[in-house]
Amino acid sequence: MNKKLLLLFLFFATFYNIQSQVQLSVYSEISIVTAGPGNELYEKFGHSAIRIKDPVLNLDIIYNYGIFDFDAPNFYTNFAQGKMYYLLARYDFKYFLASYKKDKRWLKQQVLNLNIDEKRDFFNYLENNAKPANATYLYDPFFNNCSTKLKDITKSILKNKVVFDVSNIENGKTLRELMNQEIYWNTWGNFGINIIAGTILDFERNQLEYTYLPDYLHKVFENGKTKRNNGHVNLVLREDVLLNFEEKAISNSTIFSPLNVFILLFFIVIFITLKDFKNRKRTKSLDFLIFFTTGFVGLILAYLWFFSSHKTAPNNFNILWAFLPNIFVAFLLLKNKAKIWIRTYILALLLFLVVILILWVLKVQVFPIAIIPLLVLLFVRYCYLYYSLLSSIK
């Protein structure tokens, strides 16, 4: 969310004590608001928020768990460490509506079927949560975001009175599969998320865990029930379309997409390798670039795995191609004569690439499609290195 909304949050927070003393009327409404995807990477999943409207009190407030500030102290350091702090912002709904209207993103609300006591419980919970001392929370894009928060809040308030029916939602999906549905596969955003995320995204999940995506939260509430007297009634009283824009297509691949870039690099490396084979030489600068780059990526992945709090970073088998020691071996490959152990080391790298294929086939970890030319590139160059170094070992 942008800084303008953050400033609005800070502004309206000053009026918190006035609003927090009111009691909702019987004409009040609590709604789950769902927004369509936007253009930015962090908008691709869409968005969810809670709206509380009371015409008697002239109250129309949005509670938005999707606020962050790039300019906050240590934002990027905290992000790298997995400490992504978001805010619950409480402000007039008209500003929320205007923002999505400007971006031409569809918006709809599900008015919940609640009695007056339940409405007031929602209001009191959100008002307390919106206090400056309580508003910050540790965000996780898959396990604790603007969408999962609303499901958890509803269960916390309604307890065993709420029943989320997921029988009409397809089962057996993984979080990675769901993410790939929302972010086009041949983009750097999709590629980056798939590279830094380990096997935790590849387990099949129950449908309630799909609700990190606002679309699935909408489906879960749409089919939900709540206890009323001796029976159950629909959790959603009615649904309103607030903004009726056409959803933007998820495909936004460009000429510089991951697949195109890696295919180009593949042909460049193949050309140089064939030339090296013909001339019985080795282009040391190419080997340095390959090993240093893969080693540097491995350094980032190792840091995220072992030294950050990112839940998705551990058990990431991308380190088999982005192998951290490569960053040191790169400098040894600049020499004319190679150490005897380097040939064995390269044989291990070839074995790692085979292991990646096995893990992929067995779906232990699913890798991005765009990485295939890169893996083939590495395999071909490693094979040539294994052959060429035989005559240069000292």
Side-chain angles (χ1 to χ4, degrees):
M1 195 61 61
N2 58 36
K3 286 187 65 179
K4 290 182 180 179
L5 286 183
L6 180 65
L7 292 174
L8 281 170
F9 158 68
L10 295 173
F11 175 76
F12 284 108
T14 61
F15 296 95
Y16 166 78
N17 288 328
I18 297 175
Q19 295 285 2
S20 64
Q21 305 302 317
V22 303
Q23 289 290 322
L24 296 182
S25 74
V26 293
Y27 299 102
S28 60
E29 294 180 343
I30 313 290
S31 304
I32 301 296
V33 180
T34 305
N39 292 322
E40 301 298 329
L41 179 61
Y42 58 84
E43 297 173 336
K44 293 298 184 183
F45 290 169
H47 189 46
S48 298
I50 296 183
R51 180 187 185 186
I52 294 184
K53 182 179 180 180
D54 192 330
V56 174
L57 300 175
N58 195 27
L59 184 73
D60 196 356
I61 301 294
I62 196 77
Y63 296 84
N64 184 353
Y65 281 90
I67 300 296
F68 65 91
D69 181 13
F70 283 119
D71 295 328
N74 304 315
F75 178 86
Y76 293 101
T77 302
N78 287 332
F79 183 88
Q81 294 175 346
K83 300 174 182 176
M84 295 179 283
Y85 293 108
Y86 274 47
L87 293 169
L88 164 60
R90 170 192 181 280
Y91 52 95
D92 281 352
F93 178 73
K94 63 182 179 182
Y95 297 108
F96 184 87
L97 183 67
S99 175
Y100 286 91
K101 186 175 183 179
K102 179 182 177 182
D103 292 341
K104 292 182 169 56
R105 296 167 63 181
W106 60 258
L107 202 67
K108 51 193 173 186
Q109 70 175 1
Q110 296 165 296
V111 180
L112 300 185
N113 193 358
L114 306 173
N115 60 39
I116 185 59
D117 290 331
E118 292 165 345
K119 293 177 184 179
R120 288 172 178 170
D121 286 343
F122 263 93
F123 182 61
N124 292 333
Y125 182 100
L126 292 167
E127 286 290 287
N128 181 65
N129 210 188
K131 291 179 181 179
N134 302 333
T136 301
Y137 75 99
L138 190 59
Y139 171 88
D140 185 284
F142 295 97
F143 302 103
N144 194 33
N145 67 5
C146 66
S147 186
T148 63
K149 278 283 188 185
L150 308 195
K151 176 198 67 182
D152 295 340
I153 289 170
T154 303
K155 287 185 69 68
S156 175
I157 293 172
L158 299 182
K159 297 182 172 56
N160 62 349
K161 291 192 290 184
V162 64
V163 178
F164 291 128
D165 183 3
V166 296
S167 59
N168 69 331
I169 299 176
E170 68 273 29
N171 60 11
K173 294 274 190 178
T174 69
L175 299 184
R176 195 185 303 274
E177 287 174 330
L178 294 169
M179 184 271 293
N180 288 335
Q181 290 177 6
E182 304 298 321
I183 306 177
Y184 186 61
W185 68 272
N186 195 19
T187 59
W188 288 107
N190 180 286
F191 182 80
I193 294 172
N194 274 300
I195 290 299
I196 65 174
T199 57
I200 192 171
L201 295 191
D202 294 295
F203 300 120
E204 290 186 359
R205 302 283 177 166
N206 69 65
Q207 294 96 318
L208 279 182
E209 292 177 283
Y210 298 2
T211 55
Y212 82 90
L213 295 175
D215 280 348
Y216 282 97
L217 181 77
H218 179 272
K219 291 179 182 179
V220 165
F221 272 81
E222 183 178 53
N223 298 289
K225 302 289 183 181
T226 185
K227 288 183 181 178
R228 192 71 78 240
N229 299 323
N230 295 323
H232 287 83
V233 296
N234 291 333
L235 179 59
V236 174
L237 185 63
R238 74 171 194 275
E239 180 173 314
D240 304 323
V241 176
L242 304 175
L243 294 173
N244 195 23
F245 292 108
E246 185 177 348
E247 183 165 322
K248 297 173 174 131
I250 66 168
S251 174
N252 54 357
S253 181
T254 67
I255 191 172
F256 297 109
S257 66
L259 184 62
N260 291 346
V261 169
F262 292 141
I263 288 176
L264 177 62
L265 291 176
F266 169 78
F267 283 113
I268 291 173
V269 171
I270 293 299
F271 174 79
I272 295 174
T273 301
L274 290 174
K275 188 176 179 181
D276 285 349
F277 181 79
K278 180 180 179 180
N279 298 328
R280 296 190 176 185
K281 58 174 286 190
R282 181 172 66 85
T283 303
K284 295 187 289 294
S285 58
L286 174 63
D287 295 329
F288 175 82
L289 285 173
I290 289 175
F291 276 72
F292 186 85
T293 303
T294 54
F296 183 75
V297 175
L299 178 64
I300 296 172
L301 298 183
Y303 171 81
L304 292 174
W305 182 340
F306 297 105
F307 300 103
S308 80
S309 301
H310 288 283
K311 290 183 180 179
T312 57
N315 304 317
N316 185 356
F317 290 106
N318 280 292
I319 64 167
L320 293 177
W321 67 265
F323 196 50
L324 173 57
N326 281 5
I327 203 170
F328 306 107
V329 174
F331 293 94
L332 298 178
L333 291 174
L334 288 174
K335 298 180 179 180
N336 291 324
K337 294 291 184 179
K339 299 292 184 182
I340 191 169
W341 58 267
I342 291 183
R343 197 160 182 261
T344 304
Y345 178 86
I346 292 173
L347 187 61
L349 294 180
L350 287 167
L351 179 62
F352 291 163
L353 295 177
V354 174
V355 171
I356 286 176
L357 178 60
I358 295 172
L359 294 174
W360 200 340
V361 170
L362 296 178
K363 295 187 177 180
V364 175
Q365 180 168 342
V366 175
F367 300 85
I369 296 295
I371 206 174
I372 292 176
L374 177 60
L375 296 181
V376 177
L377 173 162
L378 294 175
F379 187 84
V380 170
R381 190 62 190 179
Y382 290 162
C383 285
Y384 179 73
L385 274 175
Y386 184 79
Y387 162 78
S388 65
L389 290 177
L390 182 61
S391 60
S392 62
I393 290 174
K394 66 175 181 179

